[in-house]
Amino acid sequence: MNVRRSRRKRKLTSRGLSLALKGKDKFESASADIDFNPDSRSHRKPTSNGTYNFKTIPVARERIPSKQTIHRRKKPNVKIEDETSEHLDEVYKLIKKSKRIVAIVGAGISVSCGIPDFRSAGGVYSIVEEMDLDLPQPECLFDINFFRDDPIPFYKFAHKLYPGKSTSSSSIAEQNSKSVSISPSLTHKFLSKLEKMRKLQRVYTQNIDGLEKVAGIKRTVYCHGSLNDSSCLRCKEKVDSESIMDQIRAGKVATCRKSDCNGVMKPNITFFGEDVGNKINRSIQVDSVKADLVLVIGTSLNVAPVSKLPSLFPSYVPMILINKTAVQLRQDASNNSHLVVFKMELVGECDKIFAQLATKLKYHLE
């Protein structure tokens, strides 16, 4: 043990001496990234028997990055409304030549359908607060422990989560009072067109509205589950959510239809406190190798595990952001992933941007 410590201390000594020998100017320029620790280096001094005793003297110690969040380099955004078509042209060319496109999508692609996101003004959490459901905080509505103890607050709100009943952009409450299904957004249709053109490798969606399925996108990974089906907490019976929609619309707790069960039904979305499963891991292992273009659409990448997906793709795969606001990517220094930088950031409404891209690509979006 003493021998190992001695070797480490000798390395520190040689490093400090090399800095000192470079000269005052070079040493001062290097000192911007150096912490000075008066007890960090030992000077070896031979004794009469030829061994070494170590005496502590001041040394310049190199700063080691901590295992905290590292922010990516600042890069200017491209506001699509203010820029010329050359920026769109670059994205158009990438999409045109790519054959294995991966899309990572969030609530921003469904907002134009009249489905609110979670955190913005007028979003799900603000609606929960207005309804006074007797919850400590709005997020508890999606906590599995709260749901198991008392599913009533969730089912009082649940009818607002499901794709409404109007093709207009009216509020969720208005949509639920009508009898027409919500249509997928233009962004959904663009992704569906990519799949039909055999250019889509996969869609990773954080959304639970199931509009990817309505749009006909088959190669979809629902990272947070989907409202399309539900399962009984007691007998695990899985059913199409349409079969319990009468109870959901009435604000009643949906129960299992099996006569010998009558357990509480839970939509197959990932609640806080639940495991997201292995499906994401299995898919990303394949897609991270095959992808030749990554589109990050309508998401701020704040919620795991989706927030970690961009760093799993090789750095040579171009990554494009298409979102209403800029996104500050983060990387955990504790893993071996590379620092992610968007090749292009198109800031604006997703549907408007994809409408222009569809025109350039001559895609007819049905």
Side-chain angles (χ1 to χ4, degrees):
M1 181 64 69
N2 292 335
V3 173
R4 291 180 180 177
R5 288 180 179 174
S6 299
R7 288 176 180 173
R8 283 199 296 268
K9 291 177 180 179
R10 272 179 277 204
K11 289 181 180 179
L12 288 172
T13 301
S14 60
R15 181 184 294 171
L17 289 173
S18 63
L19 283 172
L21 292 173
K22 287 182 179 179
K24 180 180 178 181
D25 293 336
K26 290 184 179 180
F27 186 83
E28 288 178 351
S29 65
S31 65
D33 294 322
I34 293 174
D35 286 338
F36 287 92
N37 186 339
D39 299 319
S40 63
R41 182 171 56 139
S42 297
H43 177 69
R44 56 181 183 171
K45 192 173 184 179
T47 60
S48 57
N49 60 4
T51 61
Y52 287 92
N53 290 329
F54 289 88
K55 178 182 176 182
T56 301
I57 62 173
V59 67
R61 184 182 63 192
E62 292 182 354
R63 179 179 295 162
I64 301 173
S66 63
K67 292 185 178 181
Q68 297 177 349
T69 296
I70 298 177
H71 294 276
R72 69 172 179 84
R73 295 189 297 273
K74 188 72 175 176
K75 187 179 180 182
N77 306 315
V78 176
K79 291 188 177 180
I80 208 65
E81 298 88 348
D82 303 330
E83 298 292 331
T84 62
S85 61
E86 65 182 72
H87 304 292
L88 272 176
D89 285 341
E90 185 175 352
V91 178
Y92 149 71
K93 291 174 183 177
L94 283 170
I95 293 176
K96 186 176 181 179
K97 75 176 184 179
S98 298
K99 298 180 180 179
R100 296 179 297 276
I101 300 172
V102 170
I104 302 171
V105 305
I109 73 170
S110 294
V111 170
S112 63
C113 303
I115 298 177
D117 58 15
F118 277 76
R119 291 174 174 79
S120 66
V124 169
Y125 290 149
S126 64
I127 297 174
V128 170
E129 286 183 319
E130 293 172 1
M131 291 183 67
D132 190 22
L133 296 176
D134 194 27
L135 293 169
Q137 54 189 18
E139 290 82 356
C140 292
L141 190 75
F142 300 98
D143 186 287
I144 188 60
N145 294 319
F146 273 88
F147 183 84
R148 290 181 184 276
D149 290 342
D150 183 10
I152 292 176
F154 177 84
Y155 275 104
K156 282 184 177 179
F157 180 83
H159 68 282
K160 298 180 182 295
L161 285 174
Y162 285 78
K165 299 204 166 190
S166 172
T167 54
S168 68
S169 59
S170 55
S171 68
I172 293 296
E174 293 171 335
Q175 292 164 9
N176 288 327
S177 67
K178 301 179 183 179
S179 58
V180 185
S181 297
I182 278 184
S183 295
S185 67
L186 188 143
T187 303
H188 287 106
K189 295 176 182 178
F190 187 94
L191 295 173
S192 178
K193 185 67 174 180
L194 289 179
E195 186 174 55
K196 291 175 182 176
M197 300 288 291
R198 298 188 177 184
K199 296 171 69 69
L200 185 69
Q201 176 68 23
R202 198 93 58 196
V203 172
Y204 290 85
T205 180
Q206 300 173 84
N207 301 334
I208 60 175
D209 51 43
L211 286 177
E212 291 81 11
K213 181 179 179 180
V214 178
I217 306 172
K218 298 178 181 179
R219 300 181 65 83
T220 303
V221 174
Y222 295 93
C223 301
H224 297 159
S226 170
L227 293 168
N228 290 328
D229 45 57
S230 300
S231 297
C232 176
L233 290 178
R234 181 177 296 172
C235 71
K236 311 304 178 185
E237 176 77 5
K238 184 177 178 180
V239 301
D240 191 301
S241 293
E242 194 62 35
S243 65
I244 58 173
M245 197 55 64
D246 290 343
Q247 293 171 294
I248 293 174
R249 298 297 183 201
K252 299 179 180 179
V253 176
T255 55
C256 184
R257 297 297 176 91
K258 294 174 70 173
S259 58
D260 59 342
C261 181
N262 202 39
V264 174
M265 300 298 292
K266 173 190 168 294
N268 289 333
I269 59 177
T270 305
F271 277 52
F272 294 117
E274 287 189 303
D275 187 8
V276 296
N278 295 321
K279 191 173 182 180
I280 297 177
N281 294 333
R282 291 196 301 267
S283 297
I284 200 66
Q285 285 177 2
V286 175
D287 298 341
S288 61
V289 176
K290 291 187 174 182
D292 54 9
L293 176 65
V294 178
L295 302 176
V296 178
I297 312 167
T299 174
S300 56
L301 295 174
N302 283 328
V303 180
V306 176
S307 60
K308 298 180 180 180
L309 293 184
S311 64
L312 301 180
F313 293 89
S315 57
Y316 58 79
V317 177
M319 190 168 298
I320 309 297
L321 172 72
I322 301 175
N323 195 43
K324 193 171 183 179
T325 58
V327 172
Q328 187 73 24
L329 284 178
R330 291 177 279 276
Q331 180 195 22
D332 189 348
S334 63
N335 59 37
N336 296 322
S337 60
H338 62 88
L339 191 62
V340 179
V341 177
F342 289 121
K343 180 178 179 66
M344 181 73 68
E345 299 180 16
L346 304 184
V347 178
E349 294 184 20
C350 298
D351 284 355
K352 289 183 178 180
I353 294 173
F354 279 107
Q356 296 180 61
L357 288 171
T359 300
K360 289 179 175 293
L361 291 162
K362 298 182 181 179
Y363 287 175
H364 177 64
L365 304 181
E366 301 176 355

